[in-house]
Amino acid sequence: MAGYRSVVVLTGAGISAESGLRTFRASDGLWEDHRIEDVATPEGFARNPALVQDFYNQRRRQLASVEPNAAHRALADFERRFDGQFLLVTQNVDDLHERAGSENLLHMHGELRQARCVVTGEIAPQKGDILPESRCRCCGVAGNLRPHIVWFNEMPLYMDTIYDALADCDLFVAIGTSGNVYPAAGFVLEAKQNGAKTILLNLDEVDNASLFDQQIIGPASLKVSEFFGHL
Ligand code: APR
């Protein structure tokens, strides 16, 4: 295990690309077809809830037709084998890490498979579409449910736990993320300041690449098993 005692991994949309889920900023990315301000902000939801629900209903439905790929499985295998501290932080809202067997996993941008009551904040599992007549469990009122997704201008989840783990880790690995969106894009600096080794596994060069000690360029399905398989 190359002597590491505490590993933090951050994943982005790129780790799910080879499972068939679109990323955001590629030429065929989700943000090419939808304006962020229309489908990924509280203001967009207030303006047109049906458009926003449909955007996430379509992405939630797609989960039934995709599978974890070798990169998801390699991370779950490593977590099982590793005898130190391991935390997987994902920006992704799909359920592929869970389905691959990852356990110590935090979805900092929320999850497609959960819905939230806009009145009480209660979170509940959400398998099917959120419809205009869908009722929350807490109030039983139609129209109270929103996707449990962290939108732009909203605070990501589990930040205290994540920063504690970054302060303690001696290896930080970012996989399949363009380093465009903060606070996730700044995690490498937090880890670096605490003396961790920092590695980027990505298909292409990214904006914050120079912050990493090492970059390994290539598809996650190959590079993640290669890297973690020999760790
Ligand atoms: N293997 C490895 N990396 C890949 C692959 C692959 N097969 N395919 C694409 N990538 C890389 C791309 O090169 C890109 O750098 O994955 C990255 C995906 O970047 P984005 O589309 O910007 O996705 P992400 O970084 O996860 O976005 C962060 O932004 O829009 C918000 O909330 C949304 O969580 C998302 C956040």
mmCIF file with all atom_site columns, all heavy atoms in Angstrom, residues 12-14 17-18 23-25 31 91-92 109 152 176-181 202-204 206 218-220, ligand 1:
data_model
loop_
_atom_site.group_PDB
_atom_site.id
_atom_site.type_symbol
_atom_site.label_atom_id
_atom_site.label_alt_id
_atom_site.label_comp_id
_atom_site.label_asym_id
_atom_site.label_entity_id
_atom_site.label_seq_id
_atom_site.pdbx_PDB_ins_code
_atom_site.Cartn_x
_atom_site.Cartn_y
_atom_site.Cartn_z
_atom_site.occupancy
_atom_site.B_iso_or_equiv
_atom_site.pdbx_formal_charge
_atom_site.auth_seq_id
_atom_site.auth_comp_id
_atom_site.auth_asym_id
_atom_site.auth_atom_id
_atom_site.pdbx_PDB_model_num
ATOM   1   N N   . GLY A 1 12  ? -15.372 13.382 -10.296 1.00 0.00 ? 12  GLY A N   1
ATOM   2   C CA  . GLY A 1 12  ? -16.279 14.250 -11.062 1.00 0.00 ? 12  GLY A CA  1
ATOM   3   C C   . GLY A 1 12  ? -16.896 13.444 -12.186 1.00 0.00 ? 12  GLY A C   1
ATOM   4   O O   . GLY A 1 12  ? -16.711 12.232 -12.300 1.00 0.00 ? 12  GLY A O   1
ATOM   5   N N   . ALA A 1 13  ? -17.616 14.163 -13.036 1.00 0.00 ? 13  ALA A N   1
ATOM   6   C CA  . ALA A 1 13  ? -18.425 13.522 -14.087 1.00 0.00 ? 13  ALA A CA  1
ATOM   7   C C   . ALA A 1 13  ? -17.607 12.604 -14.982 1.00 0.00 ? 13  ALA A C   1
ATOM   8   O O   . ALA A 1 13  ? -18.115 11.635 -15.548 1.00 0.00 ? 13  ALA A O   1
ATOM   9   C CB  . ALA A 1 13  ? -19.105 14.603 -14.921 1.00 0.00 ? 13  ALA A CB  1
ATOM   10  N N   . GLY A 1 14  ? -16.306 12.862 -15.104 1.00 0.00 ? 14  GLY A N   1
ATOM   11  C CA  . GLY A 1 14  ? -15.467 12.063 -16.001 1.00 0.00 ? 14  GLY A CA  1
ATOM   12  C C   . GLY A 1 14  ? -15.386 10.604 -15.602 1.00 0.00 ? 14  GLY A C   1
ATOM   13  O O   . GLY A 1 14  ? -15.212 9.734  -16.448 1.00 0.00 ? 14  GLY A O   1
ATOM   14  N N   . ALA A 1 17  ? -18.296 8.915  -17.249 1.00 0.00 ? 17  ALA A N   1
ATOM   15  C CA  . ALA A 1 17  ? -18.460 9.098  -18.706 1.00 0.00 ? 17  ALA A CA  1
ATOM   16  C C   . ALA A 1 17  ? -18.485 7.761  -19.437 1.00 0.00 ? 17  ALA A C   1
ATOM   17  O O   . ALA A 1 17  ? -19.323 7.514  -20.305 1.00 0.00 ? 17  ALA A O   1
ATOM   18  C CB  . ALA A 1 17  ? -17.335 9.985  -19.245 1.00 0.00 ? 17  ALA A CB  1
ATOM   19  N N   . GLU A 1 18  ? -17.583 6.846  -19.059 1.00 0.00 ? 18  GLU A N   1
ATOM   20  C CA  . GLU A 1 18  ? -17.506 5.560  -19.781 1.00 0.00 ? 18  GLU A CA  1
ATOM   21  C C   . GLU A 1 18  ? -18.645 4.625  -19.395 1.00 0.00 ? 18  GLU A C   1
ATOM   22  O O   . GLU A 1 18  ? -18.796 3.557  -19.967 1.00 0.00 ? 18  GLU A O   1
ATOM   23  C CB  . GLU A 1 18  ? -16.138 4.911  -19.523 1.00 0.00 ? 18  GLU A CB  1
ATOM   24  C CG  . GLU A 1 18  ? -15.013 5.684  -20.221 1.00 0.00 ? 18  GLU A CG  1
ATOM   25  C CD  . GLU A 1 18  ? -13.646 5.304  -19.700 1.00 0.00 ? 18  GLU A CD  1
ATOM   26  O OE1 . GLU A 1 18  ? -13.024 4.382  -20.240 1.00 0.00 ? 18  GLU A OE1 1
ATOM   27  O OE2 . GLU A 1 18  ? -13.191 5.953  -18.740 1.00 0.00 ? 18  GLU A OE2 1
ATOM   28  N N   . THR A 1 23  ? -20.915 14.248 -19.337 1.00 0.00 ? 23  THR A N   1
ATOM   29  C CA  . THR A 1 23  ? -20.251 15.200 -18.434 1.00 0.00 ? 23  THR A CA  1
ATOM   30  C C   . THR A 1 23  ? -20.904 16.566 -18.668 1.00 0.00 ? 23  THR A C   1
ATOM   31  O O   . THR A 1 23  ? -21.950 16.662 -19.313 1.00 0.00 ? 23  THR A O   1
ATOM   32  C CB  . THR A 1 23  ? -18.738 15.253 -18.761 1.00 0.00 ? 23  THR A CB  1
ATOM   33  O OG1 . THR A 1 23  ? -18.575 15.725 -20.100 1.00 0.00 ? 23  THR A OG1 1
ATOM   34  C CG2 . THR A 1 23  ? -18.102 13.875 -18.610 1.00 0.00 ? 23  THR A CG2 1
ATOM   35  N N   . PHE A 1 24  ? -20.310 17.607 -18.094 1.00 0.00 ? 24  PHE A N   1
ATOM   36  C CA  . PHE A 1 24  ? -20.963 18.936 -18.168 1.00 0.00 ? 24  PHE A CA  1
ATOM   37  C C   . PHE A 1 24  ? -20.337 19.842 -19.205 1.00 0.00 ? 24  PHE A C   1
ATOM   38  O O   . PHE A 1 24  ? -21.030 20.564 -19.912 1.00 0.00 ? 24  PHE A O   1
ATOM   39  C CB  . PHE A 1 24  ? -20.878 19.609 -16.780 1.00 0.00 ? 24  PHE A CB  1
ATOM   40  C CG  . PHE A 1 24  ? -21.719 18.898 -15.761 1.00 0.00 ? 24  PHE A CG  1
ATOM   41  C CD1 . PHE A 1 24  ? -21.154 17.942 -14.928 1.00 0.00 ? 24  PHE A CD1 1
ATOM   42  C CD2 . PHE A 1 24  ? -23.079 19.158 -15.671 1.00 0.00 ? 24  PHE A CD2 1
ATOM   43  C CE1 . PHE A 1 24  ? -21.929 17.265 -13.998 1.00 0.00 ? 24  PHE A CE1 1
ATOM   44  C CE2 . PHE A 1 24  ? -23.864 18.500 -14.739 1.00 0.00 ? 24  PHE A CE2 1
ATOM   45  C CZ  . PHE A 1 24  ? -23.293 17.543 -13.906 1.00 0.00 ? 24  PHE A CZ  1
ATOM   46  N N   . ARG A 1 25  ? -18.983 19.813 -19.277 1.00 0.00 ? 25  ARG A N   1
ATOM   47  C CA  . ARG A 1 25  ? -18.319 20.890 -20.052 1.00 0.00 ? 25  ARG A CA  1
ATOM   48  C C   . ARG A 1 25  ? -17.634 20.384 -21.311 1.00 0.00 ? 25  ARG A C   1
ATOM   49  O O   . ARG A 1 25  ? -16.873 21.111 -21.911 1.00 0.00 ? 25  ARG A O   1
ATOM   50  C CB  . ARG A 1 25  ? -17.334 21.620 -19.123 1.00 0.00 ? 25  ARG A CB  1
ATOM   51  C CG  . ARG A 1 25  ? -18.078 22.362 -18.025 1.00 0.00 ? 25  ARG A CG  1
ATOM   52  C CD  . ARG A 1 25  ? -17.189 22.970 -16.960 1.00 0.00 ? 25  ARG A CD  1
ATOM   53  N NE  . ARG A 1 25  ? -18.043 23.606 -15.966 1.00 0.00 ? 25  ARG A NE  1
ATOM   54  C CZ  . ARG A 1 25  ? -18.619 22.943 -14.966 1.00 0.00 ? 25  ARG A CZ  1
ATOM   55  N NH1 . ARG A 1 25  ? -18.406 21.646 -14.795 1.00 0.00 ? 25  ARG A NH1 1
ATOM   56  N NH2 . ARG A 1 25  ? -19.428 23.539 -14.110 1.00 0.00 ? 25  ARG A NH2 1
ATOM   57  N N   . TRP A 1 31  ? -24.177 21.088 -20.200 1.00 0.00 ? 31  TRP A N   1
ATOM   58  C CA  . TRP A 1 31  ? -24.331 22.548 -20.219 1.00 0.00 ? 31  TRP A CA  1
ATOM   59  C C   . TRP A 1 31  ? -24.339 23.090 -21.646 1.00 0.00 ? 31  TRP A C   1
ATOM   60  O O   . TRP A 1 31  ? -24.510 24.284 -21.845 1.00 0.00 ? 31  TRP A O   1
ATOM   61  C CB  . TRP A 1 31  ? -23.266 23.239 -19.367 1.00 0.00 ? 31  TRP A CB  1
ATOM   62  C CG  . TRP A 1 31  ? -23.318 22.897 -17.911 1.00 0.00 ? 31  TRP A CG  1
ATOM   63  C CD1 . TRP A 1 31  ? -22.256 22.816 -17.054 1.00 0.00 ? 31  TRP A CD1 1
ATOM   64  C CD2 . TRP A 1 31  ? -24.469 22.581 -17.103 1.00 0.00 ? 31  TRP A CD2 1
ATOM   65  N NE1 . TRP A 1 31  ? -22.675 22.498 -15.796 1.00 0.00 ? 31  TRP A NE1 1
ATOM   66  C CE2 . TRP A 1 31  ? -24.025 22.329 -15.792 1.00 0.00 ? 31  TRP A CE2 1
ATOM   67  C CE3 . TRP A 1 31  ? -25.842 22.480 -17.351 1.00 0.00 ? 31  TRP A CE3 1
ATOM   68  C CZ2 . TRP A 1 31  ? -24.876 22.013 -14.744 1.00 0.00 ? 31  TRP A CZ2 1
ATOM   69  C CZ3 . TRP A 1 31  ? -26.696 22.148 -16.332 1.00 0.00 ? 31  TRP A CZ3 1
ATOM   70  C CH2 . TRP A 1 31  ? -26.222 21.915 -15.040 1.00 0.00 ? 31  TRP A CH2 1
ATOM   71  N N   . GLN A 1 91  ? -18.525 14.665 -6.659  1.00 0.00 ? 91  GLN A N   1
ATOM   72  C CA  . GLN A 1 91  ? -19.362 15.777 -7.121  1.00 0.00 ? 91  GLN A CA  1
ATOM   73  C C   . GLN A 1 91  ? -20.549 15.205 -7.901  1.00 0.00 ? 91  GLN A C   1
ATOM   74  O O   . GLN A 1 91  ? -21.478 15.933 -8.224  1.00 0.00 ? 91  GLN A O   1
ATOM   75  C CB  . GLN A 1 91  ? -18.561 16.712 -8.025  1.00 0.00 ? 91  GLN A CB  1
ATOM   76  C CG  . GLN A 1 91  ? -17.353 17.347 -7.342  1.00 0.00 ? 91  GLN A CG  1
ATOM   77  C CD  . GLN A 1 91  ? -16.502 18.094 -8.335  1.00 0.00 ? 91  GLN A CD  1
ATOM   78  O OE1 . GLN A 1 91  ? -16.659 19.297 -8.546  1.00 0.00 ? 91  GLN A OE1 1
ATOM   79  N NE2 . GLN A 1 91  ? -15.589 17.370 -8.973  1.00 0.00 ? 91  GLN A NE2 1
ATOM   80  N N   . ASN A 1 92  ? -20.492 13.921 -8.204  1.00 0.00 ? 92  ASN A N   1
ATOM   81  C CA  . ASN A 1 92  ? -21.511 13.303 -9.046  1.00 0.00 ? 92  ASN A CA  1
ATOM   82  C C   . ASN A 1 92  ? -22.784 13.020 -8.250  1.00 0.00 ? 92  ASN A C   1
ATOM   83  O O   . ASN A 1 92  ? -22.722 12.741 -7.049  1.00 0.00 ? 92  ASN A O   1
ATOM   84  C CB  . ASN A 1 92  ? -20.985 11.996 -9.659  1.00 0.00 ? 92  ASN A CB  1
ATOM   85  C CG  . ASN A 1 92  ? -19.757 12.236 -10.514 1.00 0.00 ? 92  ASN A CG  1
ATOM   86  O OD1 . ASN A 1 92  ? -19.512 13.366 -10.951 1.00 0.00 ? 92  ASN A OD1 1
ATOM   87  N ND2 . ASN A 1 92  ? -18.957 11.202 -10.724 1.00 0.00 ? 92  ASN A ND2 1
ATOM   88  N N   . HIS A 1 109 ? -22.555 17.214 -3.846  1.00 0.00 ? 109 HIS A N   1
ATOM   89  C CA  . HIS A 1 109 ? -23.526 17.969 -4.653  1.00 0.00 ? 109 HIS A CA  1
ATOM   90  C C   . HIS A 1 109 ? -24.904 17.321 -4.647  1.00 0.00 ? 109 HIS A C   1
ATOM   91  O O   . HIS A 1 109 ? -25.739 17.642 -5.493  1.00 0.00 ? 109 HIS A O   1
ATOM   92  C CB  . HIS A 1 109 ? -23.018 18.101 -6.095  1.00 0.00 ? 109 HIS A CB  1
ATOM   93  C CG  . HIS A 1 109 ? -21.855 19.040 -6.226  1.00 0.00 ? 109 HIS A CG  1
ATOM   94  N ND1 . HIS A 1 109 ? -21.104 19.138 -7.376  1.00 0.00 ? 109 HIS A ND1 1
ATOM   95  C CD2 . HIS A 1 109 ? -21.297 19.923 -5.350  1.00 0.00 ? 109 HIS A CD2 1
ATOM   96  C CE1 . HIS A 1 109 ? -20.145 20.046 -7.199  1.00 0.00 ? 109 HIS A CE1 1
ATOM   97  N NE2 . HIS A 1 109 ? -20.234 20.522 -5.979  1.00 0.00 ? 109 HIS A NE2 1
ATOM   98  N N   . PHE A 1 152 ? -26.039 25.753 -8.073  1.00 0.00 ? 152 PHE A N   1
ATOM   99  C CA  . PHE A 1 152 ? -25.099 26.874 -7.986  1.00 0.00 ? 152 PHE A CA  1
ATOM   100 C C   . PHE A 1 152 ? -25.698 27.902 -7.027  1.00 0.00 ? 152 PHE A C   1
ATOM   101 O O   . PHE A 1 152 ? -26.908 28.029 -6.925  1.00 0.00 ? 152 PHE A O   1
ATOM   102 C CB  . PHE A 1 152 ? -24.869 27.474 -9.376  1.00 0.00 ? 152 PHE A CB  1
ATOM   103 C CG  . PHE A 1 152 ? -24.015 26.589 -10.253 1.00 0.00 ? 152 PHE A CG  1
ATOM   104 C CD1 . PHE A 1 152 ? -24.586 25.553 -10.980 1.00 0.00 ? 152 PHE A CD1 1
ATOM   105 C CD2 . PHE A 1 152 ? -22.632 26.742 -10.298 1.00 0.00 ? 152 PHE A CD2 1
ATOM   106 C CE1 . PHE A 1 152 ? -23.811 24.705 -11.759 1.00 0.00 ? 152 PHE A CE1 1
ATOM   107 C CE2 . PHE A 1 152 ? -21.846 25.904 -11.082 1.00 0.00 ? 152 PHE A CE2 1
ATOM   108 C CZ  . PHE A 1 152 ? -22.434 24.889 -11.813 1.00 0.00 ? 152 PHE A CZ  1
ATOM   109 N N   . GLY A 1 176 ? -11.392 12.620 -13.031 1.00 0.00 ? 176 GLY A N   1
ATOM   110 C CA  . GLY A 1 176 ? -12.477 12.970 -13.945 1.00 0.00 ? 176 GLY A CA  1
ATOM   111 C C   . GLY A 1 176 ? -13.209 14.239 -13.568 1.00 0.00 ? 176 GLY A C   1
ATOM   112 O O   . GLY A 1 176 ? -14.437 14.297 -13.636 1.00 0.00 ? 176 GLY A O   1
ATOM   113 N N   . THR A 1 177 ? -12.440 15.277 -13.206 1.00 0.00 ? 177 THR A N   1
ATOM   114 C CA  . THR A 1 177 ? -13.070 16.558 -12.890 1.00 0.00 ? 177 THR A CA  1
ATOM   115 C C   . THR A 1 177 ? -12.249 17.681 -13.494 1.00 0.00 ? 177 THR A C   1
ATOM   116 O O   . THR A 1 177 ? -11.022 17.648 -13.492 1.00 0.00 ? 177 THR A O   1
ATOM   117 C CB  . THR A 1 177 ? -13.249 16.750 -11.365 1.00 0.00 ? 177 THR A CB  1
ATOM   118 O OG1 . THR A 1 177 ? -13.925 17.995 -11.122 1.00 0.00 ? 177 THR A OG1 1
ATOM   119 C CG2 . THR A 1 177 ? -11.933 16.705 -10.615 1.00 0.00 ? 177 THR A CG2 1
ATOM   120 N N   . SER A 1 178 ? -12.966 18.683 -14.041 1.00 0.00 ? 178 SER A N   1
ATOM   121 C CA  . SER A 1 178 ? -12.278 19.729 -14.826 1.00 0.00 ? 178 SER A CA  1
ATOM   122 C C   . SER A 1 178 ? -11.695 20.832 -13.948 1.00 0.00 ? 178 SER A C   1
ATOM   123 O O   . SER A 1 178 ? -11.063 21.758 -14.450 1.00 0.00 ? 178 SER A O   1
ATOM   124 C CB  . SER A 1 178 ? -13.283 20.348 -15.813 1.00 0.00 ? 178 SER A CB  1
ATOM   125 O OG  . SER A 1 178 ? -14.339 20.973 -15.083 1.00 0.00 ? 178 SER A OG  1
ATOM   126 N N   . GLY A 1 179 ? -11.954 20.793 -12.636 1.00 0.00 ? 179 GLY A N   1
ATOM   127 C CA  . GLY A 1 179 ? -11.367 21.821 -11.772 1.00 0.00 ? 179 GLY A CA  1
ATOM   128 C C   . GLY A 1 179 ? -11.935 23.206 -12.043 1.00 0.00 ? 179 GLY A C   1
ATOM   129 O O   . GLY A 1 179 ? -11.278 24.217 -11.861 1.00 0.00 ? 179 GLY A O   1
ATOM   130 N N   . ASN A 1 180 ? -13.189 23.228 -12.487 1.00 0.00 ? 180 ASN A N   1
ATOM   131 C CA  . ASN A 1 180 ? -13.845 24.508 -12.788 1.00 0.00 ? 180 ASN A CA  1
ATOM   132 C C   . ASN A 1 180 ? -14.671 25.038 -11.648 1.00 0.00 ? 180 ASN A C   1
ATOM   133 O O   . ASN A 1 180 ? -14.967 26.225 -11.588 1.00 0.00 ? 180 ASN A O   1
ATOM   134 C CB  . ASN A 1 180 ? -14.828 24.294 -13.972 1.00 0.00 ? 180 ASN A CB  1
ATOM   135 C CG  . ASN A 1 180 ? -14.142 24.566 -15.297 1.00 0.00 ? 180 ASN A CG  1
ATOM   136 O OD1 . ASN A 1 180 ? -13.738 25.681 -15.578 1.00 0.00 ? 180 ASN A OD1 1
ATOM   137 N ND2 . ASN A 1 180 ? -13.977 23.530 -16.084 1.00 0.00 ? 180 ASN A ND2 1
ATOM   138 N N   . VAL A 1 181 ? -15.157 24.127 -10.775 1.00 0.00 ? 181 VAL A N   1
ATOM   139 C CA  . VAL A 1 181 ? -16.175 24.529 -9.799  1.00 0.00 ? 181 VAL A CA  1
ATOM   140 C C   . VAL A 1 181 ? -15.607 24.416 -8.387  1.00 0.00 ? 181 VAL A C   1
ATOM   141 O O   . VAL A 1 181 ? -15.100 23.364 -7.991  1.00 0.00 ? 181 VAL A O   1
ATOM   142 C CB  . VAL A 1 181 ? -17.437 23.647 -9.965  1.00 0.00 ? 181 VAL A CB  1
ATOM   143 C CG1 . VAL A 1 181 ? -18.457 23.948 -8.886  1.00 0.00 ? 181 VAL A CG1 1
ATOM   144 C CG2 . VAL A 1 181 ? -18.047 23.877 -11.339 1.00 0.00 ? 181 VAL A CG2 1
ATOM   145 N N   . ASN A 1 202 ? -7.093  12.153 -15.265 1.00 0.00 ? 202 ASN A N   1
ATOM   146 C CA  . ASN A 1 202 ? -8.110  12.804 -16.097 1.00 0.00 ? 202 ASN A CA  1
ATOM   147 C C   . ASN A 1 202 ? -7.842  12.516 -17.567 1.00 0.00 ? 202 ASN A C   1
ATOM   148 O O   . ASN A 1 202 ? -6.709  12.270 -17.966 1.00 0.00 ? 202 ASN A O   1
ATOM   149 C CB  . ASN A 1 202 ? -8.106  14.324 -15.831 1.00 0.00 ? 202 ASN A CB  1
ATOM   150 C CG  . ASN A 1 202 ? -9.448  14.966 -16.140 1.00 0.00 ? 202 ASN A CG  1
ATOM   151 O OD1 . ASN A 1 202 ? -10.441 14.672 -15.488 1.00 0.00 ? 202 ASN A OD1 1
ATOM   152 N ND2 . ASN A 1 202 ? -9.469  15.803 -17.172 1.00 0.00 ? 202 ASN A ND2 1
ATOM   153 N N   . LEU A 1 203 ? -8.931  12.619 -18.360 1.00 0.00 ? 203 LEU A N   1
ATOM   154 C CA  . LEU A 1 203 ? -8.770  12.332 -19.803 1.00 0.00 ? 203 LEU A CA  1
ATOM   155 C C   . LEU A 1 203 ? -7.971  13.425 -20.490 1.00 0.00 ? 203 LEU A C   1
ATOM   156 O O   . LEU A 1 203 ? -7.197  13.170 -21.402 1.00 0.00 ? 203 LEU A O   1
ATOM   157 C CB  . LEU A 1 203 ? -10.165 12.217 -20.444 1.00 0.00 ? 203 LEU A CB  1
ATOM   158 C CG  . LEU A 1 203 ? -10.212 11.719 -21.893 1.00 0.00 ? 203 LEU A CG  1
ATOM   159 C CD1 . LEU A 1 203 ? -9.663  10.300 -21.963 1.00 0.00 ? 203 LEU A CD1 1
ATOM   160 C CD2 . LEU A 1 203 ? -11.638 11.751 -22.432 1.00 0.00 ? 203 LEU A CD2 1
ATOM   161 N N   . ASP A 1 204 ? -8.161  14.688 -20.042 1.00 0.00 ? 204 ASP A N   1
ATOM   162 C CA  . ASP A 1 204 ? -7.481  15.823 -20.677 1.00 0.00 ? 204 ASP A CA  1
ATOM   163 C C   . ASP A 1 204 ? -6.809  16.683 -19.625 1.00 0.00 ? 204 ASP A C   1
ATOM   164 O O   . ASP A 1 204 ? -7.059  16.548 -18.439 1.00 0.00 ? 204 ASP A O   1
ATOM   165 C CB  . ASP A 1 204 ? -8.509  16.744 -21.409 1.00 0.00 ? 204 ASP A CB  1
ATOM   166 C CG  . ASP A 1 204 ? -9.544  15.971 -22.201 1.00 0.00 ? 204 ASP A CG  1
ATOM   167 O OD1 . ASP A 1 204 ? -9.142  15.211 -23.085 1.00 0.00 ? 204 ASP A OD1 1
ATOM   168 O OD2 . ASP A 1 204 ? -10.737 16.077 -21.847 1.00 0.00 ? 204 ASP A OD2 1
ATOM   169 N N   . VAL A 1 206 ? -6.434  19.923 -17.391 1.00 0.00 ? 206 VAL A N   1
ATOM   170 C CA  . VAL A 1 206 ? -7.488  20.737 -16.773 1.00 0.00 ? 206 VAL A CA  1
ATOM   171 C C   . VAL A 1 206 ? -6.918  22.058 -16.256 1.00 0.00 ? 206 VAL A C   1
ATOM   172 O O   . VAL A 1 206 ? -5.707  22.206 -16.121 1.00 0.00 ? 206 VAL A O   1
ATOM   173 C CB  . VAL A 1 206 ? -8.175  19.977 -15.614 1.00 0.00 ? 206 VAL A CB  1
ATOM   174 C CG1 . VAL A 1 206 ? -8.884  18.742 -16.126 1.00 0.00 ? 206 VAL A CG1 1
ATOM   175 C CG2 . VAL A 1 206 ? -7.167  19.645 -14.532 1.00 0.00 ? 206 VAL A CG2 1
ATOM   176 N N   . GLY A 1 218 ? -5.543  10.044 -19.301 1.00 0.00 ? 218 GLY A N   1
ATOM   177 C CA  . GLY A 1 218 ? -6.102  8.865  -19.967 1.00 0.00 ? 218 GLY A CA  1
ATOM   178 C C   . GLY A 1 218 ? -7.480  8.566  -19.415 1.00 0.00 ? 218 GLY A C   1
ATOM   179 O O   . GLY A 1 218 ? -7.949  9.217  -18.481 1.00 0.00 ? 218 GLY A O   1
ATOM   180 N N   . PRO A 1 219 ? -8.150  7.565  -19.996 1.00 0.00 ? 219 PRO A N   1
ATOM   181 C CA  . PRO A 1 219 ? -9.513  7.227  -19.555 1.00 0.00 ? 219 PRO A CA  1
ATOM   182 C C   . PRO A 1 219 ? -9.512  6.601  -18.173 1.00 0.00 ? 219 PRO A C   1
ATOM   183 O O   . PRO A 1 219 ? -8.666  5.753  -17.856 1.00 0.00 ? 219 PRO A O   1
ATOM   184 C CB  . PRO A 1 219 ? -9.996  6.234  -20.618 1.00 0.00 ? 219 PRO A CB  1
ATOM   185 C CG  . PRO A 1 219 ? -8.768  5.694  -21.251 1.00 0.00 ? 219 PRO A CG  1
ATOM   186 C CD  . PRO A 1 219 ? -7.709  6.732  -21.129 1.00 0.00 ? 219 PRO A CD  1
ATOM   187 N N   . ALA A 1 220 ? -10.476 7.003  -17.357 1.00 0.00 ? 220 ALA A N   1
ATOM   188 C CA  . ALA A 1 220 ? -10.531 6.540  -15.966 1.00 0.00 ? 220 ALA A CA  1
ATOM   189 C C   . ALA A 1 220 ? -10.610 5.018  -15.885 1.00 0.00 ? 220 ALA A C   1
ATOM   190 O O   . ALA A 1 220 ? -10.012 4.396  -14.997 1.00 0.00 ? 220 ALA A O   1
ATOM   191 C CB  . ALA A 1 220 ? -11.735 7.167  -15.282 1.00 0.00 ? 220 ALA A CB  1
HETATM 192 N N1  . APR B 2 .   ? -11.883 9.397  -18.023 1.00 0.00 ? 1   APR B N1  1
HETATM 193 C C1  . APR B 2 .   ? -11.331 10.377 -17.262 1.00 0.00 ? 1   APR B C1  1
HETATM 194 N N2  . APR B 2 .   ? -11.708 11.682 -17.332 1.00 0.00 ? 1   APR B N2  1
HETATM 195 C C2  . APR B 2 .   ? -12.687 11.990 -18.202 1.00 0.00 ? 1   APR B C2  1
HETATM 196 C C3  . APR B 2 .   ? -13.312 11.024 -19.030 1.00 0.00 ? 1   APR B C3  1
HETATM 197 C C4  . APR B 2 .   ? -12.877 9.682  -18.903 1.00 0.00 ? 1   APR B C4  1
HETATM 198 N N3  . APR B 2 .   ? -13.403 8.694  -19.656 1.00 0.00 ? 1   APR B N3  1
HETATM 199 N N4  . APR B 2 .   ? -14.242 11.661 -19.794 1.00 0.00 ? 1   APR B N4  1
HETATM 200 C C5  . APR B 2 .   ? -14.201 12.963 -19.460 1.00 0.00 ? 1   APR B C5  1
HETATM 201 N N5  . APR B 2 .   ? -13.260 13.167 -18.513 1.00 0.00 ? 1   APR B N5  1
HETATM 202 C C6  . APR B 2 .   ? -12.880 14.427 -17.865 1.00 0.00 ? 1   APR B C6  1
HETATM 203 C C7  . APR B 2 .   ? -12.915 15.626 -18.786 1.00 0.00 ? 1   APR B C7  1
HETATM 204 O O1  . APR B 2 .   ? -11.656 15.804 -19.415 1.00 0.00 ? 1   APR B O1  1
HETATM 205 C C8  . APR B 2 .   ? -13.216 16.771 -17.814 1.00 0.00 ? 1   APR B C8  1
HETATM 206 O O2  . APR B 2 .   ? -12.007 17.367 -17.358 1.00 0.00 ? 1   APR B O2  1
HETATM 207 O O3  . APR B 2 .   ? -13.822 14.676 -16.858 1.00 0.00 ? 1   APR B O3  1
HETATM 208 C C9  . APR B 2 .   ? -13.901 16.086 -16.635 1.00 0.00 ? 1   APR B C9  1
HETATM 209 C C10 . APR B 2 .   ? -15.373 16.453 -16.504 1.00 0.00 ? 1   APR B C10 1
HETATM 210 O O4  . APR B 2 .   ? -15.450 17.823 -16.246 1.00 0.00 ? 1   APR B O4  1
HETATM 211 P P1  . APR B 2 .   ? -16.876 18.519 -16.078 1.00 0.00 ? 1   APR B P1  1
HETATM 212 O O5  . APR B 2 .   ? -17.741 18.124 -17.224 1.00 0.00 ? 1   APR B O5  1
HETATM 213 O O6  . APR B 2 .   ? -16.620 19.970 -15.808 1.00 0.00 ? 1   APR B O6  1
HETATM 214 O O7  . APR B 2 .   ? -17.508 17.816 -14.780 1.00 0.00 ? 1   APR B O7  1
HETATM 215 P P2  . APR B 2 .   ? -17.140 18.093 -13.262 1.00 0.00 ? 1   APR B P2  1
HETATM 216 O O8  . APR B 2 .   ? -15.706 18.522 -13.109 1.00 0.00 ? 1   APR B O8  1
HETATM 217 O O9  . APR B 2 .   ? -17.586 16.905 -12.496 1.00 0.00 ? 1   APR B O9  1
HETATM 218 O O10 . APR B 2 .   ? -18.100 19.336 -12.889 1.00 0.00 ? 1   APR B O10 1
HETATM 219 C C11 . APR B 2 .   ? -18.093 19.743 -11.542 1.00 0.00 ? 1   APR B C11 1
HETATM 220 O O11 . APR B 2 .   ? -19.835 21.320 -12.022 1.00 0.00 ? 1   APR B O11 1
HETATM 221 O O12 . APR B 2 .   ? -21.694 21.675 -13.251 1.00 0.00 ? 1   APR B O12 1
HETATM 222 C C12 . APR B 2 .   ? -21.254 21.423 -11.976 1.00 0.00 ? 1   APR B C12 1
HETATM 223 O O13 . APR B 2 .   ? -22.370 20.353 -10.229 1.00 0.00 ? 1   APR B O13 1
HETATM 224 C C13 . APR B 2 .   ? -21.798 20.121 -11.471 1.00 0.00 ? 1   APR B C13 1
HETATM 225 O O14 . APR B 2 .   ? -20.683 18.420 -10.181 1.00 0.00 ? 1   APR B O14 1
HETATM 226 C C14 . APR B 2 .   ? -20.570 19.240 -11.331 1.00 0.00 ? 1   APR B C14 1
HETATM 227 C C15 . APR B 2 .   ? -19.452 20.254 -11.175 1.00 0.00 ? 1   APR B C15 1
#
